[in-house]
Amino acid sequence: VQLQASGGGLVQAGESLRLSCVASGGTFSSYAMGWFRQDPGKERELVVTSSRRGDNTLYADSVKGRFTISRDSAQKTVYLQMNSLKPEDTAVYYCAAGYIATPQAAAYSYWGQGTQVTVSS
């Protein structure tokens, strides 16, 4: 499956962004979908992951209450709504598809190309 992420940009603290990740070439409903982020020199970290049915969702503590994952199976798209953004949310954001919803990045078989989110103070 191929993943195409978009929606990043430069915003001020407190503002919102919505990231999108469109899947192609696979059976979208078969995959758990996750969003990860990475700063230069740091490990890729989980933002949120959601099981293929959406009945098991795990958010990083740092984004709970501010970020929301959703998926549109008809459009084969997963979204990440990011509200109340903070400077520490600045990173490259990646979407990923795998067979289980896990915080372990290595468990995901497919990755999008990443989209930069920059939050200024």
Side-chain angles (χ1 to χ4, degrees):
V1 63
Q2 292 79 46
L3 303 175
Q4 180 73 37
S6 62
L10 171 63
V11 297
Q12 293 189 338
E15 294 185 341
S16 299
L17 278 175
R18 188 177 78 159
L19 306 184
S20 300
C21 176
V22 181
S24 61
T27 304
F28 182 73
S29 59
S30 298
Y31 298 103
M33 298 298 297
W35 287 96
F36 290 76
R37 64 188 182 188
Q38 188 170 22
D39 273 336
K42 295 186 179 180
E43 291 188 358
R44 195 167 293 189
E45 65 175 10
L46 174 75
V47 176
V48 58
T49 183
S50 181
S51 60
R52 58 178 180 164
R53 293 189 179 91
D55 54 351
N56 182 21
T57 302
L58 176 65
Y59 288 91
D61 288 343
S62 58
V63 306
K64 280 181 183 176
R66 300 189 297 123
F67 290 13
T68 304
I69 190 171
S70 61
R71 61 196 292 168
D72 182 335
S73 294
Q75 298 297 322
K76 296 186 178 181
T77 302
V78 62
Y79 300 100
L80 181 65
Q81 178 67 43
M82 305 187 294
N83 298 330
S84 302
L85 282 161
K86 304 176 181 180
E88 50 264 43
D89 295 319
T90 295
V92 177
Y93 283 70
Y94 298 89
C95 60
Y99 295 102
I100 58 171
T102 171
Q104 306 303 319
Y108 292 80
S109 301
Y110 307 100
W111 291 86
Q113 83 287 6
T115 184
Q116 177 71 47
V117 172
T118 304
V119 185
S120 63
S121 58

